[in-house]
Amino acid sequence: MSNSALTNAIIITFLLFFTTLTVGWLGSAQNPAIGQNLMTLFEKEVAGQMSTKDSVDMFLKLFANNFEACILLFLGGASFGILTIFIMSLNGIVIGAIMEIVHLDHSPLFVAAAILPHGIFEIPAFIIAGALGILLAQSLTAEWYGSGDAAADAGKYARTFLLYVLPLVAVAACVEAFITPVVIHLVA
């Protein structure tokens, strides 16, 4: 895996994520019911599973949830990237819509406080995992046409995943469980 291939895949994944985040934000701004429905679904399916006062338990649940999502983003490349693109797009749309709904009741500072402390680690983890999924899809396609070794490439991508994504997810979960609530409390 060349650095330029990874860089290009990161750029593509970054653009996909922030384009879909913008779509979610604007869609929710135009029709708040869409954002409210996504917020309700998020609260039921994700946040409801993590509701706890114990910060250590929260860390473990956040880590498991986000690590699982990153694994799916990476291994989604085995679907020739379809699953990777779907998951990345869905995350962008949901985050954008929820940001707009929260913004309706809170200041931009509150929205930033709720996302930035852990998001500076979590979003890059998702983007790198998605980029590795795109590279895996490219490797599978190259092997399909007889010019690649997807298994060998997958091993290289997995090492990169463990070297970068795993620590980013761990730090993000730690910050989200222990620091983000304090920052939110300070600006609320």
Side-chain angles (χ1 to χ4, degrees):
M1 166 181 54
S2 71
N3 284 339
S4 65
L6 179 58
T7 301
N8 290 340
I10 287 172
I11 291 168
I12 289 166
T13 308
F14 173 85
L15 292 172
L16 173 65
F17 178 74
F18 281 100
T19 299
T20 56
L21 184 136
T22 302
V23 166
W25 184 293
L26 294 175
S28 187
Q30 292 294 316
N31 186 350
I34 292 171
Q36 196 57 55
N37 288 340
L38 288 172
M39 176 73 111
T40 301
L41 181 65
F42 177 80
E43 287 172 345
K44 178 182 171 196
E45 298 299 324
V46 179
Q49 307 292 325
M50 297 187 192
S51 201
T52 180
K53 300 242 184 233
D54 180 7
S55 295
V56 173
D57 187 44
M58 176 68 79
F59 162 76
L60 294 171
K61 288 178 179 180
L62 288 165
F63 175 79
N65 180 69
N66 292 333
F67 191 61
E68 179 182 341
C70 286
I71 288 171
L72 290 173
L73 283 165
F74 171 43
L75 295 180
S79 67
F80 293 96
I82 295 168
L83 186 58
T84 299
I85 291 168
F86 176 77
I87 292 169
M88 186 61 67
S89 298
L90 186 61
N91 275 327
I93 290 169
V94 170
I95 291 169
I98 290 173
M99 285 172 57
E100 172 59 20
I101 291 301
V102 172
H103 176 258
L104 293 175
D105 294 330
H106 299 284
S107 71
L109 181 62
F110 180 91
V111 175
I115 293 173
L116 287 179
H118 65 277
I120 60 174
F121 302 104
E122 188 175 301
I123 292 170
F126 279 36
I127 289 172
I128 294 168
L132 292 168
I134 300 268
L135 290 174
L136 180 59
Q138 290 175 342
S139 292
L140 285 168
T141 303
E143 185 170 328
W144 181 278
Y145 288 105
S147 65
D149 184 354
D153 290 343
K156 293 175 197 170
Y157 303 151
R159 283 189 292 282
T160 302
F161 182 91
L162 292 173
L163 184 63
Y164 295 103
V165 176
L166 177 62
L168 283 169
V169 170
V171 171
C174 185
V175 171
E176 190 170 2
F178 295 100
I179 297 172
T180 299
V182 174
V183 174
I184 290 172
H185 180 72
L186 290 173
V187 301

